[in-house]
């Protein structure tokens, strides 16, 4: 039987909506995942979140305290108001949505919203690879590229709520390549999974490949084009990280996501580029794999509700 204080954590991405019950100690149960109905627009996505939240809430025992619901989502989020200020074309119709109010009214509970890079950072910082550290850059590389920055043990969201948007750091290798935000020349347009898949299709002429995992398998089997594509994306990402490391000088950089999980074919050139492009002191920064995997943004989102910030302050973690 579940006891103690629990919250519903939700991770909203362009391809799937993941949901779970999360305890104040970071324990997860009742995890679900459904495709994100982006073709139906924002209302369809809201309905899917509501349905999943009701489903997992039904797993709680009578008398167990459900303190609220936390959501991590793609886009720039005003956390204090629970409003999505802007979003990429991965979530069409999402910009301008008062997500906390909309779902709070539907579900009759407190709802907290943040950028999914921030919720990932919160999860890893409290229960994962960043536990016990004060200054950490968190990055995730998958369908898109995101992250969060923790300084002095506190999450930094920035003056316009855009701190940690690692995918939109300018990268010379991405010149003329369109990013999901609509602009060109950002690291996401060269190093995210779809970008590297498109690169492989162009360079190999094999238009049947639609999954980066296939490219990774081919690279492991000796496909030189596949290996070069992975190394190029990884190096681009490593150089972008290096610029941030030089500015922030953190104790550690924690990297996760489906692309990073490919292994050394991505990790080794990423680390080499990072260390070659940093100053002597910051070049010794710890580079750590994320520990919580896909649970990190769910845990971090739930912590928004379980341990909410005092009004007007940054994260207590």
């Amino acid at each position: 039987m579940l006891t103690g204080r629990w919250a519903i954590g939700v991770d909203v991405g362009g391809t799937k909506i993941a949901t779970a019950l999360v305890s104040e100690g970071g324990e997860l149960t009742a995890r679900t995942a459904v495709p994100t109905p982006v073709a139906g627009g924002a209302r369809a996505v809201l309905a899917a979140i509501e349905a999943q939240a009701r489903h997992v809430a039904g797993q709680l025992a009578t008398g167990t305290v459900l303190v609220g619901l936390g959501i991590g989502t793609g886009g720039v989020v005003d956390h204090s108001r629970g409003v999505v200020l802007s979003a990429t074309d991965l979530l069409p119709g999402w910009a301008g949505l008062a997500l906390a109010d909309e779902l709070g009214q539907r579900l009759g509970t407190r709802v907290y919203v943040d950028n999914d890079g921030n919720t990932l950072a919160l999860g890893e910082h409290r229960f994962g690879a960043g536990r016990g550290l004060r200054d950490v850059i968190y990055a995730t590389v998958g369908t898109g590229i995101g992250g969060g920055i923790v300084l002095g043990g506190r999450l930094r969201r920035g003056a316009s709520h855009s701190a940690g948007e690692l995918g939109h750091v300018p990268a010379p290798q991405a010149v003329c390549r369109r990013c999901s935000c609509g602009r060109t020349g950002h690291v996401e347009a060269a190093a995210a999974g779809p970008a590297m898949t498109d690169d492989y299709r162009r360079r190999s002429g094999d238009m049947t490949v639609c999954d980066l995992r296939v490219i990774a398998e081919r690279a492991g089997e000796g496909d030189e084009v596949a290996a070069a594509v992975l190394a190029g994306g990884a190096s681009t990402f490593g150089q972008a990280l290096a610029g941030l490391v030089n500015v922030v000088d953190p104790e550690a950089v924690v990297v996760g996501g489906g692309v990073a999980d490919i292994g050394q074919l991505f990790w080794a050139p990423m680390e080499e580029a990072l260390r070659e492009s940093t100053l002597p002191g910051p070049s010794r920064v710890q580079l750590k794999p994320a520990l919580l995997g896909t649970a990190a943004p769910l845990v971090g989102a739930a912590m928004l509700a379980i341990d909410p910030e005092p009004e007007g302050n940054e994260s207590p973690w």
Side-chain angles (χ1 to χ4, degrees), residues 2 53 98 116 118 131 140 169 181 221 223 243 260 290 304:
L2 304 181
D116 54 3
N118 287 341
R131 192 168 190 172
T140 177
V169 173
C181 70
E221 295 167 355
D223 184 326
L304 296 173

Side-chain angles (χ1 to χ4, degrees), residues 116-292:
D116 54 3
N118 287 341
T119 55
L120 178 146
L122 290 177
E124 286 288 343
H125 197 70
R126 186 148 188 185
F127 297 106
R131 192 168 190 172
L133 301 177
R134 291 180 57 79
D135 302 320
V136 188
I137 293 172
Y138 295 90
T140 177
V141 193
T143 304
I145 294 177
I149 300 173
V150 172
L151 297 178
R154 295 177 178 270
L155 180 68
R156 302 300 173 178
R157 294 188 173 90
S160 61
H161 317 285
S162 296
E165 288 289 346
L166 309 184
H168 306 290
V169 173
Q173 300 90 333
V175 170
C176 297
R177 295 191 189 183
R178 186 179 182 274
C179 181
S180 62
C181 70
R183 299 188 179 184
T184 59
H186 295 173
V187 66
E188 185 174 294
M196 287 191 285
T197 301
D198 287 346
D199 191 24
Y200 179 79
R201 287 155 63 101
R202 285 193 300 267
R203 294 170 66 173
S204 69
D206 185 350
M207 306 306 289
T208 66
V209 177
C210 300
D211 191 327
L212 193 68
R213 288 173 295 186
V214 173
I215 298 170
E217 290 172 4
R218 292 185 180 183
E221 295 167 355
D223 184 326
E224 294 182 357
V225 174
V229 165
L230 292 175
S235 295
T236 298
F237 180 64
Q239 289 172 4
L241 277 179
L244 297 174
V245 168
N246 282 336
V247 171
V248 174
D249 193 15
E251 297 168 83
V253 175
V254 174
V255 181
V259 172
D261 289 344
I262 286 172
Q264 287 301 304
L265 287 168
F266 184 85
W267 195 273
M270 173 187 70
E271 181 167 10
E272 181 180 3
L274 168 67
R275 302 206 185 278
E276 285 183 350
S277 301
T278 46
L279 296 168
S283 70
R284 296 190 292 272
V285 67
Q286 299 178 65
L287 183 59
K288 306 175 69 172
L291 294 181
L292 301 185

Side-chain angles (χ1 to χ4, degrees), residues 12-28:
V12 182
T15 57
K16 73 176 185 299
I17 299 168
T19 313
L21 286 172
V22 184
S23 75
E24 57 191 329
E27 176 188 358
L28 274 75

Side-chain angles (χ1 to χ4, degrees), residues 63-82:
T64 303
V65 178
L66 182 66
V67 298
L69 180 146
I71 300 174
T73 178
V76 176
V77 177
D78 182 343
H79 167 68
S80 64
R81 296 189 296 133

